[in-house]
Amino acid sequence: MAWTLIENAGDLSPDGGVMAVTIDKVAVALYRFGEDYLATGNICTHQFALLSDGFVEDGCVECPLHQAVFDVRTGKALSGPVNKDLDTYAVKVEDGQVFVDVSRPAEIAEAPADNRIAMAEERDDRCFVIVGGGQAAASAARALRDAGFTGTVKLFAREQALPYERPPLSKAILLGEAPLHGPTLLDGPAAEQLNIELHLGVTVAAIDAERKTLTASNGETHAYDQLLLATGASPRPLPIPGADLSAVHSLRTLEDAIAFKRALQPGRHIAIIGSGFIGLEVASAARQRGCEVTLVEAAPRICSRALHPLAALRVHKLAERNGVRILTDVQTTAFEAADGGVALKLNNGDTLQVDSVLVGIGVIPETALAESLGLEIDNGIVVDRYGHTSLDSVFAAGDVAVTRREDGTLLRLESWQNAQEQAAAAARTMAGQDTAHDVVPWFWSDQFAHNIQMLGLPTADDQMVAKPGSNGAETLYFHNGERLTGVIAFNDPGAIRRGREWLRRGLSVDALNRLLENTAGAAGDARLPAPLRRGTMSDLSNYYVWPREGLTRVPDWVYTDPYIFELEVERIFHGSTWNYVALEVEIPNAGDFKQSNVGPTPVVVSRDEDGDINVFVNRCSHRAAQFCRDLRGNAEEFVCPYHQWSYDLKGNLAGVPFRRGVDGKGGMPKDFKTCDHGPTKLKVTTRHGVVFASFDHDMKPLEDYLGPDMLREFDATFDGRELKLLGYYRNSLPGNWKLYHENLKDPYHATLLHTFLVSFGLLVAGNKSQMICDETGLHGAMASAKSDGSNVSEENRKEMRAYRPEFQLEREDMLDFIPEFNSDWSVTMLTVWPNLIVQREMNTLGVRQIVPSGPDEFVMNWTMFGFADDDEEMTRHRLRQGNLMGPAGFLGLEDNEAIKFVQDGMKRTQPGEHLVALDPDTPAGTADTLISESAIRAMYKSWRKALDIE
């Protein structure tokens, strides 16, 4: 024996403390119960997960991944999804020190032999037959023996393989992480020990219920006393031309998985029809195998039948972040053989060329045998809670069974848990131990390194509470207004463990809210967004409920919710908007380029050999690396630093090293065309030296986008004179990007916060001023005419604490306004939705570009400019004023800090609402007073429309 000292074992909690240790490359979990120590293997025998991260209770450990339970003392597997026991290891305690020996098992009292057939004094002469070879069939066979049935058990399986688990087919089998025979549920030795008579590769052709006999496909006749139909389900076919092509696959059996695995070769393009969990899990595996993946879903969103819209959105974005292209609201109308692959004809007129296809649009229960017996059928074989069908001595369980519940409704579930536990309940009932199948439904899915688990059956009308956790975890709790009805957890198995108990107890909504609020803030930003309590499963607009007071209130989740930010990227920055990307003066010559952004998306702005300006996404088509690494410069091409794929100034893929391979080997497929694999290109427009880009290639002209009022203010600054570049600033702001738009649509704050503005008459109550908006309310211009302060009334001075008339500048000429614009205003701040601010404060000129990186932070890129005909003194004058008003000047510092204070207030307190009610006589839009918030209300009126939030 080799005893290994375990350091710090004494620090374990005596109430089931557990720690992970490695001894001679063996992963060990060491447990403490009082003064006793026990050791087992630390890796769950179902799927890789560390039991030391699990939950220890009543001498058992529960796996944190899929809730398999093991007896710590014996290592015995007590509940699914697992049948294989843990290894145990010898432990000794000497002089307060704990030692473990992994070369021998723990010494435990010998349990009585578990072979009831050998022990039985009298054998049962009955014969029970199980038709099926999957999860339900194997579970029933074991449960019959556990219930003490000592008669004959025969199992007929269509497949030649031993009964195996099906969840790994869409995951571990495709990734090569599981043996090709699959994780068996009932292997040869186990079947022999349990005396299960296996008939593999043999189907049941006919059943004579009156005589209680069946005829097998090999011609044999077998008598039975009780019969369990566990025939499962078959993939739902897609009834379109070409569905029988060899490159079009389905996934239900081990043979299907092995065949499809051969299609998952790096670089191949895979199409998946259907966006249920099987389709998404296959997409995850295919991406891990290096395939390009396109998922085609006929519904408007993925997982529409299984997930709340917010949960579905999270899964959607997770898949997209992992490189899956998702087409929703699109139907496949035909498959055609093409160039060694498949061409998908879509109902939108497009053709999608791929190498292989997987159709995963659900399953159909295998009810042919049941129908031949005249059993009640309704989307499956109708059974009661005990597994009885409408015919005596015939039971059904698993995917083929639909349960009539106590309220008379029918429910059919397709899950590992249902197949396992419903079949076990039916088997015990067959053996004389009436057992109802009354467990909380539980589902799981592993995809893109995320674990998703679901409990219960929430309805479309149920309301929801979302609880964020640490490290990207999140749990959604559903209730019907009275009691908890379901839980969906992302990377949070602890929530599933708690939720199972809460559902069993019928937890009230009040108790749920108290329990969650007591744990809020324990892990990062684990706050409960108050409006989410009114969310329902029907659609996104019901989930995000705007306050009933209307536009005079703005809820915190507008600024803090990561899913709202994802929607903004998709529908605003990547939607029908013009985004500022550059000034033409920055790229005057052929070959000039600069890096820029459209929202958080990096783009390249370049001038090509023809003098045209191009904007394209800065992402290599090969492995997603940003191929343009310099902020600005001049180049003939862009070369990705990773694999040296090159791109021209128009954004076309120009070169692929070893495209044809070496010595006739390797290289890209023969049908590879560089023109099909370039970066995403944006539509480009310019006006008076300012460059805009849009992901929408049908975008309206910029002039129509701005509208007449904003166009007038834009042209007052960019009046056709040639621009001169003066320099750059850059600052990061810890706040939501829309707060900056609000800041510049909020002249109210300017009269109160900025001592510099009000004390020197640039923007002060009493000045000639206006807050101008376009018809949409998205664009705005805060405008004021400078005064000497004499028109500020004594009453207004008292209202403005920032007003300090005693303040003076050392050089008074720094604030001289030299008239040069066709405008009534000496100060204007023009906001062009969604990412541009045009700064014209006295004679300093600049553009500010908003680059958001998430809901809580954005970068502001400042580009200061003048005009080519400026003399040296005018240039110096612009720069002096720019220093006063830049990001580190008298205004920028105050605005930056105020935005941080607002964001911090939302993040660190209970969620609430912003009151935006100034100037009620102007509900939304242009205001002729500085004491107004009508422009903010106008902006959110259009923002809500863009995001479909009512």
Side-chain angles (χ1 to χ4, degrees):
M1 292 187 298
W3 292 102
T4 300
L5 172 65
I6 308 301
E7 300 288 348
N8 303 317
D11 295 339
L12 285 174
S13 167
D15 299 321
V18 58
M19 67 186 295
V21 294
T22 301
I23 303 173
D24 295 335
K25 299 183 180 179
V26 176
V28 176
L30 180 69
Y31 310 85
R32 181 180 180 185
F33 299 95
E35 296 306 314
D36 294 332
Y37 291 84
L38 302 168
T40 71
N42 195 25
I43 298 175
C44 178
T45 58
H46 171 245
Q47 192 167 331
F48 186 90
L50 297 179
L51 297 178
S52 55
D53 293 333
F55 308 95
V56 181
E57 188 175 58
D58 297 330
C60 298
V61 61
E62 180 181 293
C63 174
L65 189 57
H66 297 134
Q67 283 75 64
V69 177
F70 301 89
D71 186 312
V72 172
R73 189 170 300 276
T74 64
K76 184 174 178 58
L78 300 179
S79 71
V82 67
N83 295 305
K84 184 179 179 182
D85 297 342
L86 288 173
D87 290 331
T88 62
Y89 305 111
V91 180
K92 70 175 182 179
V93 180
E94 292 182 351
D95 299 327
Q97 294 185 310
V98 179
F99 298 84
V100 174
D101 182 359
V102 296
S103 67
R104 69 170 190 165
E107 295 180 2
I108 58 175
E110 288 293 328
D114 193 26
N115 190 336
R116 295 182 178 86
I117 298 175
M119 290 164 39
E121 295 181 2
E122 294 184 10
R123 291 283 302 275
D124 195 317
D125 60 2
R126 292 178 295 168
C127 177
F128 289 176
V129 169
I130 301 169
V131 182
Q135 188 82 42
S139 176
R142 288 180 178 274
L144 284 172
R145 294 309 188 202
D146 288 341
F149 178 66
T150 59
T152 302
V153 176
K154 297 181 180 181
L155 185 150
F156 291 84
R158 174 186 294 132
E159 295 181 67
Q160 191 66 47
L162 290 162
Y164 57 87
E165 287 197 76
R166 297 193 187 276
L169 299 184
S170 57
K171 300 180 274 288
I173 295 292
L174 298 182
L175 292 170
E177 296 174 352
L180 290 182
H181 57 70
T184 55
L185 297 162
L186 192 65
D187 59 19
E192 183 177 354
Q193 180 185 10
L194 295 171
N195 197 18
I196 307 297
E197 191 177 307
L198 298 178
H199 297 262
L200 303 179
V202 179
T203 60
V204 174
I207 300 173
D208 187 331
E210 185 175 349
R211 296 182 178 180
K212 289 190 176 181
T213 61
L214 61 83
T215 302
S217 58
N218 59 9
E220 295 178 355
T221 299
H222 298 261
Y224 68 85
D225 292 282
Q226 305 243 41
L227 179 72
L228 175 67
L229 296 175
T231 47
S234 58
R236 185 181 299 278
L238 190 61
I240 60 175
D244 57 349
L245 291 174
S246 61
V248 177
H249 300 258
S250 60
L251 185 59
R252 185 67 180 177
T253 68
L254 187 58
E255 185 178 352
D256 292 338
I258 293 171
F260 189 61
K261 179 185 177 185
R262 289 193 286 267
L264 300 184
Q265 301 301 318
R268 290 191 177 178
H269 189 177
I270 306 298
I272 299 171
I273 313 299
S275 65
F277 286 136
I278 295 298
L280 287 162
E281 288 170 358
V282 171
S284 174
R287 288 298 296 147
Q288 286 182 258
R289 293 289 299 272
C291 298
E292 180 181 355
V293 178
T294 299
L295 192 149
V296 182
E297 171 55 55
R301 62 178 175 84
I302 69 171
C303 293
S304 57
R305 291 180 298 174
L307 290 179
H308 178 278
L310 182 66
L313 177 64
R314 177 176 180 136
V315 173
H316 185 122
K317 294 302 180 183
L318 176 65
E320 285 190 329
R321 283 196 297 271
N322 282 273
V324 178
R325 179 191 180 202
I326 299 177
L327 306 177
T328 56
D329 215 7
V330 174
Q331 296 181 19
T332 305
T333 58
F335 298 123
E336 295 180 359
D339 298 329
V342 184
L344 282 68
K345 300 296 182 180
L346 308 179
N347 66 342
N348 60 8
D350 291 344
T351 297
L352 179 64
Q353 177 75 38
V354 301
D355 295 292
S356 297
V357 178
L358 178 81
V359 177
I361 56 174
V363 296
I364 301 173
E366 291 276 12
T367 59
L369 280 175
E371 292 173 30
S372 71
L373 291 172
L375 301 183
E376 182 181 357
I377 306 294
D378 191 340
N379 187 36
I381 305 171
V382 178
V383 299
D384 65 10
R385 293 159 52 232
Y386 300 88
H388 296 109
T389 70
S390 56
L391 187 63
D392 287 343
S393 302
V394 178
F395 294 75
D399 288 359
V400 74
V402 56
T403 302
R404 178 172 282 116
R405 297 188 285 184
E406 290 182 307
D407 61 2
T409 59
L410 296 176
L411 175 67
R412 188 174 73 84
L413 299 174
E414 301 166 12
S415 70
W416 185 99
Q417 179 217 31
N418 184 69
Q420 175 83 2
E421 300 188 10
Q422 186 185 40
R428 293 189 187 100
T429 301
M430 292 168 67
Q433 299 179 3
D434 286 355
T435 305
H437 178 234
D438 287 326
V439 298
V440 176
W442 169 56
F443 310 82
W444 87 75
S445 177
D446 297 314
Q447 49 188 272
F448 305 108
H450 279 60
N451 175 248
I452 305 169
Q453 298 192 51
M454 292 157 284
L455 281 173
L457 296 169
T459 70
D461 296 325
D462 283 351
Q463 300 179 56
M464 186 178 69
V465 178
K467 184 178 185 302
S470 59
N471 300 321
E474 182 177 50
T475 303
L476 312 179
Y477 297 89
F478 300 91
H479 63 83
N480 59 11
E482 296 180 359
R483 301 202 175 276
L484 181 70
T485 59
V487 180
I488 301 179
F490 293 85
N491 291 337
D492 192 355
I496 292 296
R497 190 169 188 268
R498 294 188 297 271
R500 185 178 285 112
E501 174 62 20
W502 292 354
L503 283 165
R504 187 190 64 78
R505 288 163 40 193
L507 193 72
S508 70
V509 173
D510 289 342
L512 172 68
N513 287 330
R514 285 196 302 271
L515 286 167
L516 296 182
E517 286 166 356
N518 286 339
T519 59
D525 187 24
R527 301 175 301 121
L528 289 179
L532 302 191
R533 295 194 176 101
R534 294 184 297 207
T536 71
M537 288 189 68
S538 55
D539 57 45
L540 203 60
S541 63
N542 285 334
Y543 178 78
Y544 294 104
V545 180
W546 199 269
R548 61 179 178 273
E549 293 86 354
L551 292 171
T552 61
R553 305 292 191 278
V554 182
D556 283 2
W557 48 260
V558 167
Y559 310 95
T560 61
D561 194 295
Y563 305 106
I564 287 293
F565 177 71
E566 294 287 349
L567 279 175
E568 290 174 333
V569 173
E570 176 185 338
R571 301 187 185 182
I572 296 174
F573 292 102
H574 289 187
S576 297
T577 56
W578 282 115
N579 292 262
Y580 164 82
V581 290
L583 297 177
E584 285 195 68
V585 69
E586 296 179 272
I587 49 170
N589 305 309
D592 286 348
F593 68 89
K594 68 167 289 188
Q595 284 195 47
S596 188
N597 288 81
V598 173
T601 305
V603 298
V604 178
V605 185
S606 67
R607 191 179 291 274
D608 62 32
E609 300 86 346
D610 301 324
D612 295 329
I613 295 175
N614 305 273
V615 179
F616 40 91
V617 174
N618 189 6
R619 172 192 168 111
C620 181
S621 304
H622 182 216
R623 298 300 299 276
Q626 290 185 222
F627 54 80
C628 179
R629 307 303 302 171
D630 295 326
L631 292 178
R632 57 187 64 87
N634 185 278
E636 296 181 355
E637 63 176 356
F638 304 100
V639 180
C640 178
Y642 196 1
H643 296 100
Q644 282 75 60
W645 285 31
S646 61
Y647 302 85
D648 65 22
L649 294 169
K650 298 179 185 291
N652 300 313
L653 176 60
V656 175
F658 299 113
R659 175 181 171 186
R660 301 304 183 196
V662 177
D663 298 330
K665 297 180 181 180
M668 300 301 290
K670 291 182 179 180
D671 60 354
F672 177 83
K673 298 177 181 178
T674 56
C675 61
D676 295 334
H677 295 277
T680 299
K681 297 181 181 180
L682 282 69
K683 185 174 182 177
V684 179
T685 192
T686 63
R687 185 171 179 87
H688 296 171
V690 186
V691 184
F692 295 87
S694 178
F695 278 91
D696 183 358
H697 284 264
D698 296 321
M699 190 61 195
K700 67 177 71 173
L702 177 67
E703 292 74 16
D704 295 339
Y705 180 69
L706 292 175
D709 292 335
M710 295 301 103
L711 188 64
R712 180 181 64 251
E713 295 304 324
F714 183 90
D715 286 350
T717 300
F718 298 101
D719 55 11
R721 286 181 284 174
E722 183 181 349
L723 304 183
K724 179 170 68 175
L725 183 66
L726 298 183
Y728 301 98
Y729 301 116
R730 183 180 185 275
N731 66 306
S732 177
L733 288 86
N736 186 269
W737 67 277
K738 297 185 296 298
L739 289 174
Y740 210 91
H741 276 277
E742 290 185 29
N743 179 271
L744 296 175
K745 295 177 187 293
D746 173 19
Y748 175 56
H749 94 277
T751 64
L752 301 171
L753 175 65
H754 297 305
T755 296
F756 179 74
L757 283 183
V758 298
S759 299
F760 293 99
L762 275 69
L763 188 67
V764 61
N767 276 14
K768 176 184 176 181
S769 56
Q770 194 171 20
M771 184 64 239
I772 310 166
C773 297
D774 75 318
E775 289 184 356
T776 69
L778 295 173
H779 317 304
M782 183 164 58
S784 179
K786 182 178 183 294
S787 70
D788 59 8
S790 61
N791 57 346
V792 180
S793 68
E794 187 63 30
E795 181 181 358
N796 286 343
R797 291 186 184 189
K798 292 179 179 179
E799 294 282 350
M800 297 184 295
R801 298 185 183 185
Y803 183 70
R804 303 291 296 273
E806 72 276 15
F807 277 16
Q808 293 183 347
L809 289 172
E810 186 70 23
R811 286 190 54 172
E812 294 185 359
D813 64 343
M814 290 187 72
L815 289 183
D816 285 351
F817 175 52
I818 302 172
E820 58 172 327
F821 306 105
N822 183 22
S823 172
D824 296 333
W825 315 112
S826 53
V827 174
T828 62
M829 298 297 290
L830 172 66
T831 57
V832 178
W833 185 261
N835 75 334
L836 173 63
I837 293 93
V838 179
Q839 167 190 347
R840 178 163 64 83
E841 296 176 298
M842 310 299 283
N843 295 108
T844 188
L845 302 171
V847 289
R848 308 178 192 174
Q849 180 190 27
I850 295 173
V851 181
S853 57
D856 298 323
E857 185 176 26
F858 66 98
V859 168
M860 185 71 72
N861 291 323
W862 304 52
T863 305
M864 310 306 292
F865 66 92
F867 297 107
D869 58 2
D870 288 347
D871 58 23
E872 183 178 353
E873 180 53 35
M874 176 58 91
T875 297
R876 294 178 65 84
H877 182 58
R878 296 193 199 280
L879 290 173
R880 283 194 296 265
Q881 290 187 345
N883 286 332
L884 284 175
M885 303 175 193
F890 290 127
L891 308 183
L893 284 175
E894 292 167 337
D895 281 333
N896 298 349
E897 195 166 26
I899 287 173
K900 179 184 185 297
F901 290 161
V902 172
Q903 197 75 20
D904 285 349
M906 291 185 287
K907 291 170 64 176
R908 297 176 182 176
T909 61
Q910 287 296 313
E913 299 167 353
H914 298 231
L915 179 64
V916 189
L918 283 174
D919 192 15
D921 292 337
T922 309
T926 297
D928 57 4
T929 173
L930 294 181
I931 315 304
S932 176
E933 291 167 325
S934 62
I936 297 175
R937 295 192 290 271
M939 181 181 83
Y940 281 113
K941 183 177 181 180
S942 289
W943 180 90
R944 288 169 59 184
K945 183 177 180 181
L947 269 64
D948 293 327
I949 295 176
E950 299 300 325

